[in-house]
Amino acid sequence: MQEKKTNGKSAILLMHCPDQPGIIAVMTEFITKNGGNILYLDQYVDRTNRIFFMRLEWDLENFIIPQDKIEEFFGTLYGQKYNMNFTLYFSDQKPKMAIFVSKMSHCIYDLLARYAAGEWDVEIPIIVSNHPDMEVVAKQFGIEYAYFPITKDNKAEQEAKEIALLREKGVTFIVLARYMQILSPEFIDLYPNKIINIHHSFLPAFVGAKPYHAAFERGVKLIGATSHYVTSDLDAGPIIEQDITRISHKDTIDNLLGKGRDLEKIVLSRAVAKHIDRKILVYKNKTIVFN
Amino acid sequence: MQEKKTNGKSAILLMHCPDQPGIIAVMTEFITKNGGNILYLDQYVDRTNRIFFMRLEWDLENFIIPQDKIEEFFGTLYGQKYNMNFTLYFSDQKPKMAIFVSKMSHCIYDLLARYAAGEWDVEIPIIVSNHPDMEVVAKQFGIEYAYFPITKDNKAEQEAKEIALLREKGVTFIVLARYMQILSPEFIDLYPNKIINIHHSFLPAFVGAKPYHAAFERGVKLIGATSHYVTSDLDAGPIIEQDITRISHKDTIDNLLGKGRDLEKIVLSRAVAKHIDRKILVYKNKTIVFN
Amino acid sequence: MQEKKTNGKSAILLMHCPDQPGIIAVMTEFITKNGGNILYLDQYVDRTNRIFFMRLEWDLENFIIPQDKIEEFFGTLYGQKYNMNFTLYFSDQKPKMAIFVSKMSHCIYDLLARYAAGEWDVEIPIIVSNHPDMEVVAKQFGIEYAYFPITKDNKAEQEAKEIALLREKGVTFIVLARYMQILSPEFIDLYPNKIINIHHSFLPAFVGAKPYHAAFERGVKLIGATSHYVTSDLDAGPIIEQDITRISHKDTIDNLLGKGRDLEKIVLSRAVAKHIDRKILVYKNKTIVFN
Amino acid sequence: MQEKKTNGKSAILLMHCPDQPGIIAVMTEFITKNGGNILYLDQYVDRTNRIFFMRLEWDLENFIIPQDKIEEFFGTLYGQKYNMNFTLYFSDQKPKMAIFVSKMSHCIYDLLARYAAGEWDVEIPIIVSNHPDMEVVAKQFGIEYAYFPITKDNKAEQEAKEIALLREKGVTFIVLARYMQILSPEFIDLYPNKIINIHHSFLPAFVGAKPYHAAFERGVKLIGATSHYVTSDLDAGPIIEQDITRISHKDTIDNLLGKGRDLEKIVLSRAVAKHIDRKILVYKNKTIVFN
């Protein structure tokens, strides 16, 4: 759906519930009857699981329900009745994104260049790393850099510090921009469908470490990259976006690494853009990504 | 939208009208109130032109309005009120497709292979050609072949015969499978948005004859193919589907022709599939193609 | 390398040997000194394994060594000296291709349509199947169809009959056009790098049966197809060609099957074309595919 | 050809000449006889124009001809004899790249991020602009920024200053990173095949200004980007690289601009990488781009 622009505030509803006739009518009537002007509506019905998914955005300018009451009204009127799982966002509450990075700069530069250009409606209050190398990049863009070296022995306590910092900064989601350190299940559980990773292969091929080396070994003719939400099951979380590029027998591992970097940063940024725009729903380890 | 299957008959509504709040609600209510079960709903709002587009499909099994009355009811109740432009199709009325072909076999083989495999819900009562060469292919698949040689002098009368034949066969749309003969505006006017052509370039680049030669001359690194509805403005009708493939300085014109053939047949068949599924709407020389 | 056309006969040399300076010079001098006109030269050096690969084609019109002596001369003069692994082909000795098929028609139609159009320099003397279904297609194109139903008990003897038939027909390579029956290692050993399979996933993802179902389950955003030479290690032979297409949450398994068919036939045909043109070399389970 | 690495210095020869038998042998013999170890050889024969193209790289460590004499020796021994057009480069003489930019940051960030990461063997001594906006980006990366506002009246004199500055900085090639100002033919003539532009369409479609708007108007299903060498004929210079991305009726012009930015920066950077690696030859307004 082509989006309508508004200068004012808008509300975004992401929801799913068991499918039933007339659900779109009920939802759109709720908005329009109460003075809301619909800016975006896209819906999808999973016929196998009989689940209805929708993203609805409306202008709050003449909406008669106050912003801080919408969730309550909505939940009371429809939430229970339709067995609805829903989340409300407001355009004036920007998502806050933390970037986790290790030593490679291509993804973080791509993210920060978009941020600096105002391409995304997001704030980046903090960059976290297990290495000091990328501090210079953080400085270029004037963003705070928190260095937490991780060893087998200190992982739990360092993660605790990281979590405290993320809370202090009001972080709402995390982007692993080639962060080469596995997060603990406890950490991941705090951010369900809120940690986006970039894996440097077309998953589920080449799970785990050194996928380009494995791809070279296997002699594939395409290499890929996959952005996905992180779950405690390594490289097995819900896939948001994938893309590939063509290679040939002439390509060395170094070439694969180079071509891969271009894929990784674009595929990661596409996922981040969709997350910032609140256009992703997750159901049974799969994503519904609205246009 | 993921489609629900039904064994029975269904109705398909393709419509557009000036956008206004609640239109989806009105339409879905009309269906469900009258006993129809919605199998498919996809909609799109063109915010620039403020036009609402929708494709709606519902099961007729328990629908209380008789099939031959639906159009009348719908038109009376909503057509004028919403200034709606709509077309109704029924799943038990298969589209009838004529193939126009000249001398090249790749597109027609691709179409007929799908037809023979039962991939499409369509009938192909007739193949029309300005050359005798493809009669052998028509015979392989047991389809009638009508040969109308065209010269400057006989074009009008030959087209008249073609049109008479198409009518006799009940043809509802025409596929130009590399038909190398320009149809007259009078012919085209009889089949608005019902003639699908494949042009062997990524339009609007390389309009007209010999696009691969022009692409070679220009030294492009990609070649493409474009399927579109035919209008009297050459190669300028509404684009349905496009795709490209990568080439290099090593490719001769012969290579381009070969790579192009693979593109052409796939890009044409994708457009035909969408047309057969009644998933294409045309507005102001552009297509809305539903998933 | 852009190919030169010749109306006469040509010789094609596919070779690899340990890399050493001056090898191209030696080879090209051998051709030109003896009156051969080079039509094609492409070479590749695997720097890791220090192996030199080359495809060389030359016009035999004024070549002073008789066609049936070239192999002997070449082997004597260079084969042992350079520890060379080489194969000679002649343009007047067309490869003979057997198609193995089960019940699905999309790949075989694509192969036969190209064959009928004269797109490939190949003969297809026989189609082999473990099912009777595709006999109708073989008949359309006037090609002999051999039906060998396979059960656990008769597999060895049926394969023996197939092999006898392939020999009788002079078959030089086999194309598995969605042949849903695993060949025995004994069969495969008789045709090293001469059996081309199409697997309906981007290998190594989704090895084995029902890859589209597995892809749907995993929620990938791309599906692929892979053509490869068959080895006794299932779906693990040298990859010749791969391609992918984009899917979304809206695609049902049926959609994946449909989009997959288009991929499969194109990816298989690209591999077959390269094989027919003698442009593929295999080394350590990987392919070198010349342009 | 897979490249061999060397820690020492190497020479790179880019050449073309009328095709004749034995030319590869002569060239490789020249290198190896004089103690050079070939690191890279790729060649191409344009059979239509009968032109031979080659890129040859060899290790200078044991090469008996001194670096500053190679050009003379080569020219004397082969240049005239074979009517050869050749250029010699040395690995210890880094290309020096100037970036010209206007107001958009996506391309320049992509270039500078690669530069900062040491991805390319290049120096960037200067960024030139007709606007002050990007000075902040230049500062982030510590690169000198020269601001030359251009009006109709001062264009000639400002260009003269730019040229003086480029000379002072030893610039060997120029990258127009969305530089929205047409260079004069006099300027272009000073840098033949040394100015790389990114055009935001798949040329030759949508030449000139506002190609995304034109693409939207036309209703194409793909948008593209093209990097090319600048000639005095607008958007008509030799194409180096192109790529496309898929769009649909749902995409607004803003979406096209966003998707286009990702294309533009990648397609521009691929061209710049090839130029830095001295892998591009130009002949009759077309490029030969070696792997």
Side-chain angles (χ1 to χ4, degrees):
Chain A
M1 185 185 211
Q2 209 183 3
E3 276 170 82
K4 207 185 251 172
K5 293 272 167 184
T6 172
N7 292 320
K9 282 193 288 186
S10 64
I12 296 160
L13 175 74
L14 277 178
M15 58 142 288
H16 63 85
C17 66
D19 188 29
Q20 54 188 285
I23 185 102
I24 297 179
V26 170
M27 294 294 101
T28 57
E29 204 184 295
F30 167 73
I31 308 299
T32 50
K33 261 200 183 160
N34 293 303
N37 182 20
I38 292 176
L39 302 171
Y40 179 102
L41 182 158
D42 206 356
Q43 101 303 340
Y44 161 70
V45 180
D46 175 340
R47 299 283 174 194
T48 314
N49 296 301
R50 299 191 159 275
I51 305 292
F52 175 83
F53 299 86
M54 187 162 62
R55 184 185 186 279
L56 200 51
E57 183 168 359
W58 67 98
D59 199 323
L60 290 177
E61 197 179 352
N62 301 311
F63 199 56
I64 60 172
I65 307 172
Q67 184 169 335
D68 60 353
K69 294 285 180 189
I70 297 175
E71 182 150 1
E72 187 192 329
F73 271 62
F74 194 81
T76 306
L77 292 170
Y78 308 107
Q80 210 173 341
K81 185 173 170 192
Y82 291 99
N83 193 15
M84 206 178 272
N85 185 319
F86 73 94
T87 318
L88 263 175
Y89 301 96
F90 297 100
S91 63
D92 61 345
Q93 295 170 359
K94 280 194 192 187
K96 292 192 181 179
M97 162 174 149
I99 302 175
F100 278 48
V101 69
S102 291
K103 293 178 164 186
M104 274 172 289
S105 65
H106 57 291
C107 285
I108 194 171
Y109 263 130
D110 198 67
L111 295 167
L112 295 178
R114 291 169 200 271
Y115 181 54
E119 199 175 300
W120 288 339
D121 206 20
V122 72
E123 282 174 38
I124 305 181
I126 188 74
I127 296 169
V128 172
S129 184
N130 57 340
H131 291 284
D133 310 57
M134 289 296 108
E135 185 163 13
V136 58
V137 177
K139 273 191 178 154
Q140 280 181 301
F141 291 84
I143 298 171
E144 190 181 328
Y145 189 82
Y147 167 39
F148 295 100
I150 311 250
T151 64
K152 272 182 198 170
D153 297 332
N154 74 357
K155 184 160 177 169
E157 67 187 277
Q158 292 291 71
E159 283 197 345
K161 285 183 200 163
E162 288 170 354
I163 291 162
L165 180 63
L166 296 173
R167 283 183 176 152
E168 182 201 321
K169 298 290 181 186
V171 163
T172 60
F173 76 108
I174 297 164
V175 175
L176 308 183
R178 297 300 309 276
Y179 182 65
M180 308 306 276
Q181 174 67 237
I182 294 171
L183 297 172
S184 72
E186 294 73 30
F187 189 120
I188 293 166
D189 283 351
L190 293 174
Y191 294 93
N193 300 324
K194 304 229 171 285
I195 308 173
I196 300 174
N197 185 42
I198 180 71
H199 184 76
H200 38 318
S201 82
F202 48 88
L203 287 175
F206 309 124
V207 167
K210 300 232 168 204
Y212 293 127
H213 291 74
F216 182 81
E217 243 356 272
R218 179 63 186 93
V220 294
K221 301 298 184 187
L222 307 171
I223 55 168
T226 304
S227 51
H228 63 95
Y229 285 121
V230 174
T231 61
S232 50
D233 197 357
L234 185 68
D235 298 336
I239 292 171
I240 304 168
E241 168 69 353
Q242 302 188 284
D243 213 341
I244 56 97
T245 199
R246 195 161 280 276
I247 60 167
S248 83
H249 61 271
K250 295 186 184 180
D251 285 296
T252 60
I253 288 180
D254 272 359
N255 290 147
L256 302 198
L257 292 168
K259 289 183 171 185
R261 280 192 297 267
D262 282 9
L263 270 180
E264 292 161 24
K265 71 186 188 190
I266 296 294
V267 169
L268 178 58
S269 286
R270 283 187 201 148
V272 171
K274 287 292 185 185
H275 187 91
I276 289 171
D277 288 349
R278 285 97 175 211
K279 289 195 168 168
I280 312 177
L281 272 160
V282 175
Y283 185 77
K284 290 197 171 179
N285 208 45
K286 292 161 75 168
T287 59
I288 288 92
V289 182
F290 289 114
N291 275 107
Chain B
M1 183 184 213
Q2 208 181 4
E3 278 170 78
K4 207 185 251 171
K5 294 271 165 183
T6 173
N7 293 320
K9 282 193 288 184
S10 65
I12 297 160
L13 175 74
L14 278 178
M15 59 143 287
H16 63 85
C17 65
D19 188 28
Q20 55 188 285
I23 185 105
I24 296 179
V26 170
M27 294 293 102
T28 57
E29 204 183 297
F30 168 73
I31 308 298
T32 50
K33 260 199 184 161
N34 293 304
N37 182 21
I38 292 176
L39 302 171
Y40 179 103
L41 184 160
D42 207 356
Q43 102 303 338
Y44 161 71
V45 180
D46 175 340
R47 299 285 175 193
T48 313
N49 295 302
R50 299 188 159 274
I51 305 291
F52 175 82
F53 298 87
M54 186 162 61
R55 183 187 186 277
L56 198 52
E57 182 169 0
W58 67 99
D59 199 323
L60 291 177
E61 198 178 352
N62 301 310
F63 199 57
I64 59 172
I65 306 172
Q67 184 170 333
D68 59 354
K69 293 284 181 190
I70 296 175
E71 182 151 359
E72 186 192 328
F73 271 63
F74 193 83
T76 306
L77 292 170
Y78 307 107
Q80 210 173 340
K81 185 173 172 191
Y82 291 98
N83 194 15
M84 203 177 276
N85 185 318
F86 74 94
T87 318
L88 263 175
Y89 300 97
F90 297 99
S91 63
D92 60 346
Q93 296 170 359
K94 281 194 193 187
K96 292 192 182 178
M97 161 174 151
I99 303 176
F100 277 49
V101 69
S102 290
K103 292 179 165 186
M104 276 173 288
S105 66
H106 57 291
C107 285
I108 193 170
Y109 263 130
D110 198 67
L111 296 166
L112 294 178
R114 292 168 199 271
Y115 181 54
E119 200 175 299
W120 289 338
D121 207 22
V122 72
E123 281 174 40
I124 305 181
I126 189 75
I127 295 169
V128 172
S129 183
N130 56 340
H131 290 283
D133 309 58
M134 289 296 109
E135 184 162 15
V136 58
V137 177
K139 273 192 178 154
Q140 280 182 300
F141 290 84
I143 298 172
E144 191 180 329
Y145 188 84
Y147 168 39
F148 295 100
I150 311 249
T151 63
K152 272 182 197 169
D153 298 330
N154 73 359
K155 186 161 176 167
E157 67 188 277
Q158 291 292 69
E159 284 197 344
K161 285 183 200 164
E162 288 171 352
I163 291 161
L165 180 62
L166 297 174
R167 283 182 175 154
E168 181 200 321
K169 298 291 180 185
V171 163
T172 59
F173 76 108
I174 297 165
V175 175
L176 308 183
R178 299 299 311 275
Y179 183 66
M180 309 305 277
Q181 173 67 236
I182 294 171
L183 298 172
S184 71
E186 294 72 30
F187 189 119
I188 293 167
D189 283 351
L190 293 175
Y191 294 93
N193 300 324
K194 303 227 171 287
I195 307 173
I196 300 173
N197 185 42
I198 180 71
H199 184 75
H200 37 317
S201 82
F202 47 88
L203 288 175
F206 308 125
V207 167
K210 299 230 169 205
Y212 294 127
H213 290 74
F216 182 81
E217 245 352 275
R218 180 62 185 91
V220 293
K221 300 299 185 185
L222 307 171
I223 55 167
T226 304
S227 51
H228 63 96
Y229 285 121
V230 174
T231 61
S232 50
D233 196 358
L234 185 68
D235 298 334
I239 293 172
I240 304 169
E241 168 69 353
Q242 301 187 286
D243 213 342
I244 59 95
T245 199
R246 194 162 281 279
I247 61 166
S248 82
H249 61 271
K250 295 186 184 181
D251 285 295
T252 59
I253 287 181
D254 272 358
N255 290 147
L256 301 199
L257 291 169
K259 289 183 172 186
R261 279 193 298 266
D262 282 10
L263 270 179
E264 291 160 25
K265 71 186 188 191
I266 296 294
V267 169
L268 177 59
S269 286
R270 283 188 200 146
V272 171
K274 288 292 185 187
H275 186 92
I276 290 171
D277 288 349
R278 284 97 175 208
K279 289 193 168 169
I280 312 177
L281 272 161
V282 175
Y283 185 76
K284 289 195 172 179
N285 208 46
K286 292 162 76 168
T287 60
I288 288 92
V289 183
F290 289 113
N291 275 107
Chain C
M1 184 186 212
Q2 208 182 4
E3 278 171 80
K4 206 186 250 173
K5 292 272 166 182
T6 172
N7 292 320
K9 283 193 287 186
S10 65
I12 297 160
L13 175 74
L14 276 179
M15 59 142 286
H16 63 85
C17 65
D19 188 30
Q20 54 189 284
I23 185 102
I24 296 179
V26 169
M27 294 294 101
T28 56
E29 204 184 296
F30 167 73
I31 307 299
T32 50
K33 259 197 182 161
N34 293 303
N37 181 20
I38 292 176
L39 302 171
Y40 179 101
L41 182 158
D42 207 357
Q43 101 303 340
Y44 161 70
V45 180
D46 175 342
R47 300 283 175 194
T48 313
N49 295 302
R50 299 189 160 275
I51 305 291
F52 174 82
F53 299 86
M54 187 162 62
R55 184 185 186 279
L56 199 52
E57 183 169 0
W58 67 98
D59 199 321
L60 291 177
E61 197 178 353
N62 301 310
F63 199 57
I64 61 173
I65 307 172
Q67 184 170 334
D68 60 353
K69 293 286 181 189
I70 296 175
E71 181 150 3
E72 186 192 329
F73 270 63
F74 193 82
T76 305
L77 292 169
Y78 308 106
Q80 211 174 339
K81 185 173 171 190
Y82 291 98
N83 194 15
M84 204 177 274
N85 185 317
F86 74 94
T87 318
L88 264 174
Y89 300 97
F90 296 100
S91 62
D92 61 345
Q93 294 169 0
K94 281 194 192 185
K96 291 191 182 179
M97 162 174 151
I99 303 176
F100 278 47
V101 70
S102 291
K103 292 178 165 186
M104 274 172 290
S105 66
H106 56 292
C107 285
I108 193 169
Y109 263 129
D110 198 68
L111 296 166
L112 295 179
R114 291 168 199 272
Y115 181 53
E119 200 176 299
W120 288 338
D121 206 21
V122 73
E123 281 175 37
I124 305 181
I126 189 75
I127 295 169
V128 173
S129 183
N130 57 340
H131 291 284
D133 309 58
M134 289 295 108
E135 185 162 14
V136 58
V137 177
K139 273 190 179 155
Q140 281 181 301
F141 290 84
I143 298 172
E144 191 180 329
Y145 188 82
Y147 167 40
F148 295 100
I150 310 247
T151 65
K152 273 182 196 169
D153 298 330
N154 74 359
K155 185 160 177 170
E157 68 188 279
Q158 291 292 68
E159 283 197 344
K161 283 182 201 165
E162 288 170 354
I163 291 162
L165 180 63
L166 296 174
R167 283 181 176 153
E168 183 201 320
K169 299 290 180 186
V171 163
T172 59
F173 78 107
I174 296 164
V175 175
L176 308 183
R178 297 299 310 275
Y179 183 65
M180 308 306 277
Q181 174 66 237
I182 294 171
L183 298 171
S184 72
E186 293 73 30
F187 189 119
I188 293 166
D189 284 351
L190 293 174
Y191 294 93
N193 300 325
K194 305 226 171 289
I195 307 173
I196 300 173
N197 185 42
I198 180 71
H199 184 76
H200 38 316
S201 82
F202 47 86
L203 287 175
F206 309 123
V207 167
K210 299 232 169 204
Y212 293 127
H213 291 74
F216 182 81
E217 251 346 280
R218 179 63 186 91
V220 293
K221 301 298 185 187
L222 307 171
I223 55 168
T226 304
S227 51
H228 63 95
Y229 285 121
V230 174
T231 61
S232 50
D233 197 358
L234 185 68
D235 298 335
I239 293 171
I240 304 168
E241 167 70 353
Q242 302 188 285
D243 213 340
I244 58 96
T245 200
R246 193 162 282 276
I247 60 167
S248 83
H249 62 271
K250 295 186 184 179
D251 286 297
T252 60
I253 288 181
D254 272 359
N255 290 147
L256 302 199
L257 291 168
K259 289 183 171 185
R261 280 193 298 266
D262 281 9
L263 270 180
E264 292 161 25
K265 71 186 188 191
I266 296 294
V267 169
L268 178 59
S269 286
R270 283 187 200 147
V272 171
K274 288 292 186 186
H275 186 92
I276 290 171
D277 287 349
R278 284 98 174 209
K279 288 194 168 169
I280 312 177
L281 272 160
V282 176
Y283 185 76
K284 290 196 172 180
N285 208 45
K286 291 161 76 168
T287 60
I288 288 92
V289 182
F290 289 114
N291 274 107
Chain D
M1 184 186 211
Q2 209 182 3
E3 277 169 81
K4 207 186 251 170
K5 293 270 165 183
T6 174
N7 293 320
K9 283 193 288 186
S10 65
I12 296 161
L13 175 74
L14 277 179
M15 59 143 287
H16 64 85
C17 64
D19 189 30
Q20 54 188 285
I23 185 105
I24 297 179
V26 169
M27 294 294 101
T28 57
E29 205 184 296
F30 168 73
I31 308 298
T32 50
K33 260 198 183 160
N34 292 304
N37 182 20
I38 292 175
L39 302 171
Y40 178 103
L41 182 159
D42 207 356
Q43 102 301 337
Y44 161 71
V45 180
D46 175 340
R47 299 285 175 193
T48 313
N49 294 303
R50 301 190 157 272
I51 305 290
F52 175 83
F53 298 87
M54 187 161 61
R55 184 186 186 277
L56 200 51
E57 182 168 1
W58 67 99
D59 199 323
L60 291 177
E61 197 178 353
N62 302 310
F63 199 58
I64 59 173
I65 307 172
Q67 185 170 335
D68 60 353
K69 293 284 182 190
I70 297 174
E71 183 152 359
E72 186 192 330
F73 270 63
F74 193 83
T76 306
L77 292 170
Y78 308 106
Q80 208 173 343
K81 185 174 172 191
Y82 291 97
N83 193 16
M84 205 177 274
N85 184 317
F86 74 94
T87 319
L88 263 175
Y89 301 97
F90 297 100
S91 63
D92 61 347
Q93 295 170 0
K94 281 194 193 186
K96 293 192 182 178
M97 161 174 150
I99 302 175
F100 278 48
V101 70
S102 291
K103 293 179 164 186
M104 276 172 288
S105 65
H106 57 291
C107 285
I108 194 169
Y109 263 130
D110 198 68
L111 296 166
L112 295 179
R114 291 168 199 272
Y115 181 53
E119 200 176 299
W120 288 339
D121 206 21
V122 73
E123 281 175 39
I124 305 181
I126 188 75
I127 296 169
V128 173
S129 184
N130 57 339
H131 291 284
D133 309 58
M134 289 296 108
E135 184 161 16
V136 58
V137 177
K139 273 191 179 154
Q140 280 181 300
F141 291 84
I143 298 172
E144 190 178 330
Y145 188 84
Y147 168 40
F148 295 100
I150 312 248
T151 63
K152 271 182 199 170
D153 298 330
N154 73 358
K155 185 161 177 167
E157 67 188 277
Q158 291 293 69
E159 283 197 344
K161 285 184 201 164
E162 288 171 353
I163 290 162
L165 179 63
L166 296 173
R167 284 185 174 148
E168 181 201 320
K169 298 291 180 185
V171 163
T172 59
F173 76 108
I174 296 164
V175 175
L176 308 183
R178 299 298 312 275
Y179 183 66
M180 308 307 277
Q181 174 67 237
I182 294 172
L183 298 171
S184 72
E186 294 73 30
F187 189 121
I188 293 167
D189 284 351
L190 293 174
Y191 294 93
N193 300 325
K194 303 228 172 286
I195 307 174
I196 300 173
N197 185 42
I198 180 71
H199 183 76
H200 38 317
S201 82
F202 48 87
L203 288 175
F206 308 124
V207 167
K210 300 234 169 203
Y212 293 128
H213 290 73
F216 182 80
E217 244 354 273
R218 179 61 186 93
V220 293
K221 300 299 184 184
L222 307 171
I223 54 166
T226 304
S227 51
H228 64 95
Y229 285 121
V230 175
T231 60
S232 49
D233 196 357
L234 184 68
D235 298 334
I239 293 171
I240 304 169
E241 167 69 352
Q242 301 187 286
D243 214 341
I244 57 95
T245 199
R246 194 162 281 277
I247 60 166
S248 83
H249 61 271
K250 296 186 183 179
D251 286 296
T252 59
I253 287 180
D254 272 358
N255 290 147
L256 302 199
L257 292 169
K259 289 183 172 186
R261 280 193 297 266
D262 281 10
L263 269 180
E264 291 161 24
K265 71 187 188 189
I266 296 294
V267 169
L268 177 59
S269 286
R270 283 188 200 147
V272 171
K274 288 291 184 187
H275 187 91
I276 290 171
D277 287 349
R278 285 97 175 207
K279 289 194 168 169
I280 312 176
L281 272 160
V282 175
Y283 185 77
K284 289 195 172 179
N285 208 46
K286 291 162 76 167
T287 60
I288 288 93
V289 182
F290 289 114
N291 275 105

